[in-house]
Amino acid sequence: MTPVTPVPALWPDRFGDELYRFALSRVSDADVAEELVQETFLSALDGLATFRAEASERTWLFVILRRKIIDHYRRQARATQVSLDELSENGTTEADFFVPENGHWTGPQAPASWLNADAALEQQELHEILQRCQERLSPQQGAVFAMRFVEELSAEEICQELGLSSANYWVIVHRAKLQLRRCLEKHGLGKK
């Protein structure tokens, strides 16, 4: 079988919309998504000589885009730092809110059931509310949250990518979850 030679001039027409939708679903900002797709095409063009056709052009471009998204999160996370000194004076720890082994809420801290979300809102509205709540997170919280729960990277990978200590990572995740919970409850989801 003859290896397929990539044709960069066709990338925008063949893959642009799909790459854009993927990026937009990860960063929730149209301008940033467009920029990430453009960066992907430029990186692919620069690395064209290294393309070995072990994967399809589409797969190769998506791998590059995913890396660009992680780089975006890394830049965003470095915009602000969460100090461990900012923990509350009452001595609460992550263990008061989350199970250390799996990061899930502890019993008393678990959000109320959101089963009424389907009755109260259409699925699209729920998605839009969640997206707006995510946009209210600090840049660092948003980056860590997206890397963990959208990109599904492990805590270790995120700490390595963003240069965070494990303790700082868990503080950021804890605060992001609490802020998202408050925002969603404010919009009528959860506690009544």
Side-chain angles (χ1 to χ4, degrees):
M1 186 167 157
T2 309
V4 177
T5 304
V7 183
L10 299 179
W11 291 344
D13 289 336
R14 290 179 62 203
F15 308 112
D17 290 342
E18 191 177 9
L19 290 166
Y20 172 76
R21 283 190 305 273
F22 180 82
L24 186 61
S25 74
R26 299 310 197 260
V27 298
S28 302
D29 181 309
D31 293 334
V32 172
E34 285 179 16
E35 189 172 316
L36 289 169
V37 172
Q38 289 173 5
E39 288 177 17
T40 298
F41 289 148
L42 289 174
S43 289
L45 195 56
D46 287 344
L48 198 53
T50 64
F51 180 72
R52 296 182 300 230
E54 293 172 0
S56 68
E57 279 178 89
R58 179 187 174 278
T59 300
W60 182 57
L61 290 169
F62 270 93
V63 167
I64 295 170
L65 176 59
R66 187 156 191 233
R67 189 74 226 160
K68 293 295 178 187
I69 291 168
I70 291 171
D71 290 344
H72 166 75
Y73 293 147
R74 184 183 304 122
R75 286 189 305 271
Q76 190 177 33
R78 290 191 178 137
T80 58
Q81 294 293 321
V82 175
S83 168
L84 292 176
D85 298 332
E86 293 179 27
L87 289 173
S88 77
E89 298 291 326
N90 65 9
T92 58
T93 66
E94 298 305 310
D96 294 327
F97 293 91
F98 306 108
V99 178
E101 294 80 34
N102 60 22
H104 295 287
W105 296 96
T106 60
Q109 297 299 328
S113 172
W114 291 0
L115 294 177
N116 63 349
D118 286 335
L121 300 169
E122 295 293 326
Q123 196 65 19
Q124 182 62 30
E125 291 174 310
L126 175 62
H127 177 74
E128 289 170 5
I129 290 170
L130 180 59
Q131 193 170 17
R132 283 196 307 266
C133 289
Q134 280 183 259
E135 290 169 0
R136 291 184 177 147
L137 295 173
S138 72
Q140 189 176 48
Q141 288 173 343
V144 169
F145 185 83
M147 291 175 83
R148 179 67 186 107
F149 300 105
V150 177
E151 294 299 319
E152 299 180 344
L153 298 177
S154 70
E156 295 79 21
E157 290 172 305
I158 296 168
C159 288
Q160 182 179 352
E161 288 288 339
L162 302 179
L164 299 172
S165 69
S166 178
N168 201 2
Y169 165 81
W170 286 109
V171 168
I172 294 166
V173 168
H174 163 71
R175 289 184 179 173
K177 284 181 176 180
L178 289 177
Q179 187 171 336
L180 285 172
R181 175 181 172 179
R182 282 191 296 267
C183 181
L184 290 169
E185 288 173 350
K186 179 181 170 188
H187 286 87
L189 300 172
K191 291 185 179 179
K192 291 285 180 184

